């Protein structure tokens, strides 16, 4: 049963005791009685259009121009977001190599296990040559053969940055050292960094789904609920709204003081800080939104910190101007926080993480809104805006919205939270 179909079934039936896995964590579906119903929620993704074949071919053409300019024979990339980005192939990583060769000239060659060929072809969008290998054969010899068939017999070849070393080593050994191995990181970034209108449209839909799911959850959180119950409710709402759940991080009370949480048991009570960090995918493109609120009456300190983080978000956006080094956004927020008595720098209590990250097919992509990143802002770059504040032993506040750069300045996918009482 496909993961998405299973999640849809869970959402539709309100299954009470089925554990399921989302993005590396195991979440327990909410027990009977928890308010996980999704009545009234309808899909927001029916009009979302996947990336076209023509756009993928244009991406490959741009990459090939860069390969020719830099005198690099080919780029090799294994399963992952970049393989999807260029070819449409959506495939998992395992000990069995599936990889593509994008030569400087000529068609793409895909190497995959023979028994996986029909499955890989289901998402291969750009044509090309698919070469199968059987269990007793070497995929690396096939990759080298693909290089040679495309006229790449020696010289530099690039590997996508996340390619595992056994694949790099396998190609090196199979070619008897005929090639000089170089990083393909800059090549891939040069193509993926600027998002197209089609990509921005999918990210907008994903953001719409996640914000609607958060709105649903905000109205249904009750005292006594655990993080896993709230996460299950979020995932069910995301499925009902037409998205594929990516993650639903729920931090309660003191756990909210640690950006990625604590293993200490927590439940919702009067005065609880509820910090939620939620994302989904639509045709592979990501959303990432955080909201924090207080159950019942907030303290003056909670309100002050919440308002400070909201102002930090506003400063980040005000600093975002064409050509500005992205690291300057982090510097501006941190300067304001230090004047307010936080930090200094990345010290706690304060903001220990960067102000934001790039986002697209991956939830975290370069460039990053972090001190020292000199990448100049350009139209089409996408980022999160999440300058949280954390007080160990007490609580944390994180507000996060994603935005993209335009000629006229930053444009949000979602409006900033209005107030502590109206956080969605």
């Amino acid at each position: 049963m496909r993961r998405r179909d299973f999640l849809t079934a869970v959402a539709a039936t309100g299954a009470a005791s089925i554990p399921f896995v989302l993005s590396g964590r195991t979440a327990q579906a909410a027990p009977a009685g928890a308010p996980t119903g999704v009545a009234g929620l309808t899909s927001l993704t029916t009009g979302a259009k996947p990336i076209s074949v023509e756009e993928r071919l244009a991406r490959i053409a741009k990459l090939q121009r860069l390969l020719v300019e830099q005198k690099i024979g080919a780029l090799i990339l294994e399963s992952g977001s970049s393989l999807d980005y260029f070819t449409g192939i959506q495939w998992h990583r395992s000990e069995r190599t599936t990889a593509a060769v994008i030569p400087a000239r000529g068609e793409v060659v895909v190497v995959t296990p023979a028994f996986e060929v029909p499955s890989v072809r289901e998402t291969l969008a750009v044509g090309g040559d698919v070469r199968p290998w059987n269990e007793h054969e070497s995929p690396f010899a096939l990759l080298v053969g693909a290089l040679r068939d495309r006229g790449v017999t020696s010289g530099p070849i690039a590997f996508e940055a996340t390619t595992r070393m056994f694949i790099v080593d396998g190609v090196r050994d199979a070619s008897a050292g005929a090639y000089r191995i170089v990083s393909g990181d800059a090549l891939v970034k040069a193509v993926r960094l600027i998002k197209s209108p089609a990509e921005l449209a999918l990210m907008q839909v994903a953001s719409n789904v996640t914000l609607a799911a958060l709105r649903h959850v905000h109205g249904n959180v009750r005292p006594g609920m655990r993080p896993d119950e709230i996460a299950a409710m979020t995932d069910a709402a995301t499925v009902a709204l037409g998205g594929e759940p990516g993650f639903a991080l729920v931090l309660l009370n003191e756990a909210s003081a640690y950006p990625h949480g604590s293993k200490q048991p927590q439940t919702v009570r009067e005065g609880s800080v509820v910090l939620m960090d939620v994302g989904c995918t639509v045709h592979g493109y990501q959303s990432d939104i955080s909201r924090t609120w207080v159950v019942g009456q907030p303290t003056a300190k909670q309100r002050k910190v919440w308002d400070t983080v909201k102002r930090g978000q506003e400063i980040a956006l005000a600093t975002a101007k064409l050509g500005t080094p992205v690291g300057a956004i982090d510097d501006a927020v941190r300067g304001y926080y230090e004047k307010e008595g936080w930090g200094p720098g990345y010290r706690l209590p304060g903001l220990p993480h960067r102000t934001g990250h790039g986002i697209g097919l991956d939830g975290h992509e370069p460039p990053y809104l972090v001190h020292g990143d000199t990448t100049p802002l350009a139209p089409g770059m996408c980022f999160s805006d999440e300058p949280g504040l954390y007080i160990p032993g007490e609580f944390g506040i994180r507000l996060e919205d994603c935005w993209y750069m335009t000629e006229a300045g930053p444009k949000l996918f979602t409006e900033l939270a209005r107030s502590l009482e109206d956080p969605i």
Side-chain angles (χ1 to χ4, degrees), residues 154-333:
S154 63
I157 58 170
F159 283 83
E160 194 268 341
T162 68
T163 305
R164 290 169 293 176
M165 281 303 300
F166 78 87
I167 297 175
V168 178
D169 288 342
V171 170
R172 181 188 288 114
D173 292 344
S175 68
Y179 302 107
R180 180 166 63 87
I181 306 300
V182 300
S183 172
D185 194 39
L187 291 164
V188 173
K189 283 181 182 176
V191 185
R192 288 186 58 174
L193 191 64
I194 305 300
K195 272 54 179 183
S196 70
E199 292 177 287
L200 295 175
L202 289 173
M203 293 171 69
Q204 181 65 68
V205 175
S207 295
N208 294 345
V209 168
T210 294
L211 195 66
L214 281 165
R215 185 175 295 113
H216 172 78
V217 171
H218 177 256
N220 285 286
V221 168
R222 300 287 183 268
M225 293 185 73
R226 304 186 310 269
D228 61 309
E229 295 174 307
I230 299 171
M233 176 166 47
T234 307
D235 294 334
T238 297
V239 172
L241 290 160
E244 181 175 351
F247 56 93
L249 179 66
V250 183
L251 308 181
L252 303 178
N253 309 316
E254 183 187 346
S256 65
Y258 312 107
H260 291 150
S262 164
K263 293 187 179 296
Q264 297 302 313
Q266 303 283 346
T267 56
V268 177
R269 60 176 186 266
E270 181 70 18
S272 282
V273 170
V274 180
L275 191 163
M276 294 195 62
D277 190 344
V278 182
C280 77
T281 62
V282 174
H283 292 305
Y285 282 84
Q286 306 269 338
S287 63
D288 191 357
I289 302 175
S290 296
R291 290 292 185 265
T292 307
W293 67 89
V294 175
V295 176
Q297 186 64 34
T299 66
K301 187 173 186 178
Q302 289 168 338
R303 184 179 299 281
K304 170 64 175 173
V305 177
W306 196 100
D307 289 343
T308 301
V309 172
K310 168 71 177 298
R311 181 60 187 143
Q313 280 195 299
E314 294 169 345
I315 289 171
L317 294 170
T319 308
K321 301 185 186 303
L322 288 176
T324 297
V326 296
I329 298 174
D330 185 76
D331 295 339
V333 173

Side-chain angles (χ1 to χ4, degrees), residues 124-155:
L124 174 60
V126 296
D129 186 5
V130 178
R131 301 186 180 185
W133 59 278
N134 289 300
E135 294 280 63
H136 67 291
E137 296 174 323
S138 167
F140 315 118
L142 286 179
L143 288 168
V144 171
L147 289 166
R148 291 171 176 163
D149 290 347
R150 294 296 184 263
V152 185
T153 57
S154 63

Side-chain angles (χ1 to χ4, degrees), residues 365-382:
E365 296 183 355
Y368 299 100
L369 307 184
V370 64
H371 174 74
D373 193 322
T374 60
T375 306
L377 270 176
M381 291 182 180
C382 297

